[in-house]
Amino acid sequence: MSLSPSVRPALADEVTAKLRAMIHSGEWPLQQRIPSESELIARLGVSRGTLREAVKALAHSGMLEVRRGDGTYVRATSEISGAARRLFQDHTAEHILEVRLGLDTQAARLAAKHATAEDVTALRALLTARDQAWRSGDCEAWATADWGFHARVAQASGNPLLHELYVSFGPALHQDLLAQQKRPGFDGLPLEGHGVLVDAIERGDADAAVATVNRNLNSCAEWLTT
């Protein structure tokens, strides 16, 4: 059987892959500006045109945002997250919450089956950080820890695709948390979907894990309609 000759990918594709890997690895954090064009040209050993083509491709995917006169910023860690970030802008908070309900319940169900002792320890540490931030009035840190908790539950599910899809909700959920905490009577430290969820995950009780997630998100839905 004859083999067809391999085709070497275009240089711009290679550079795009390298930039994507840097973003995905966390070398360039979310919301931070990436190195300047001249720095990247020197580092990668490519022409300005090739670099710009690669940056343009990642900007089109939603991973990067180019600001004229300011620089280029990381907006998502994957094409999935980038596409979701753009998509969320066209939908209501109610629609986003309805989709999140499906992901959250499945993440909780799987985490109850697959979470390790390390996962449980990390989840409790995130709740401690969340509680401390809320009591100190640091709303930004509180929202970050709360979101980190939910993302870690998705990671504990053992399903990397579910985790990546869930992480795509990060920016939308973070902004929603900051908006909700301004509502009179808002409880920033609910046990449902948090402390009760960790207990269920630690026991390996999938039904209880799903039930507490449902109660928590139904409560969130009520806030959206008031």
Side-chain angles (χ1 to χ4, degrees):
M1 182 178 65
S2 62
L3 297 176
S4 59
S6 60
V7 178
R8 186 174 184 270
L11 182 56
D13 292 340
E14 293 184 6
V15 176
T16 301
K18 289 179 180 178
L19 298 182
R20 183 188 298 112
M22 291 174 186
I23 296 169
H24 191 68
S25 70
E27 180 177 344
W28 296 340
L30 275 171
Q31 313 308 329
Q32 299 299 308
R33 184 167 51 192
I34 70 173
S36 67
E37 192 174 74
S38 58
E39 289 179 76
L40 289 175
I41 288 172
R43 179 174 177 178
L44 299 171
V46 297
S47 69
R48 188 178 305 275
T50 297
L51 177 62
R52 287 184 174 178
E53 187 175 345
V55 169
K56 182 179 180 181
L58 292 178
H60 181 73
S61 75
M63 293 181 71
L64 294 176
E65 178 187 357
V66 180
R67 295 182 181 177
R68 289 186 61 121
D70 185 18
T72 301
Y73 290 78
V74 177
R75 292 302 184 224
T77 57
S78 71
E79 280 87 349
I80 290 177
S81 296
R85 176 176 169 269
R86 295 198 307 273
L87 188 62
F88 292 154
Q89 297 173 359
D90 299 325
H91 294 278
T92 66
E94 289 85 356
H95 290 158
I96 293 172
L97 184 62
E98 288 168 356
V99 173
R100 186 189 156 199
L101 178 62
L103 292 176
D104 258 344
T105 52
Q106 183 65 355
R109 180 180 289 110
L110 292 174
K113 296 180 179 180
H114 302 298
T116 64
E118 181 182 353
D119 289 323
V120 172
T121 298
L123 289 170
R124 294 200 186 281
L126 284 163
L127 287 186
T128 297
R130 180 199 68 157
D131 294 0
Q132 291 174 344
W134 180 261
R135 293 191 176 98
S136 68
D138 188 342
C139 295
E140 186 68 37
W142 164 79
T144 298
D146 191 277
W147 162 243
F149 170 84
H150 293 292
R152 184 62 191 238
V153 172
Q155 181 180 336
S157 74
N159 185 321
L161 178 58
L162 188 153
H163 179 230
E164 186 168 358
L165 287 170
Y166 195 87
V167 168
S168 73
F169 278 78
L173 179 57
H174 187 82
Q175 292 304 313
D176 182 59
L177 284 168
L178 291 176
Q180 285 198 39
Q181 61 86 23
K182 297 178 182 178
R183 294 174 181 266
F186 177 75
D187 179 10
L189 305 177
L191 288 176
E192 290 291 0
H194 297 81
V196 177
L197 174 58
V198 179
D199 291 341
I201 289 173
E202 188 171 30
R203 294 194 310 271
D205 190 337
D207 289 340
V210 170
T212 189
V213 166
N214 279 325
R215 288 192 294 268
N216 181 51
L217 291 184
N218 285 335
S219 175
C220 291
E222 292 175 4
W223 279 100
L224 289 175
T225 59
T226 58

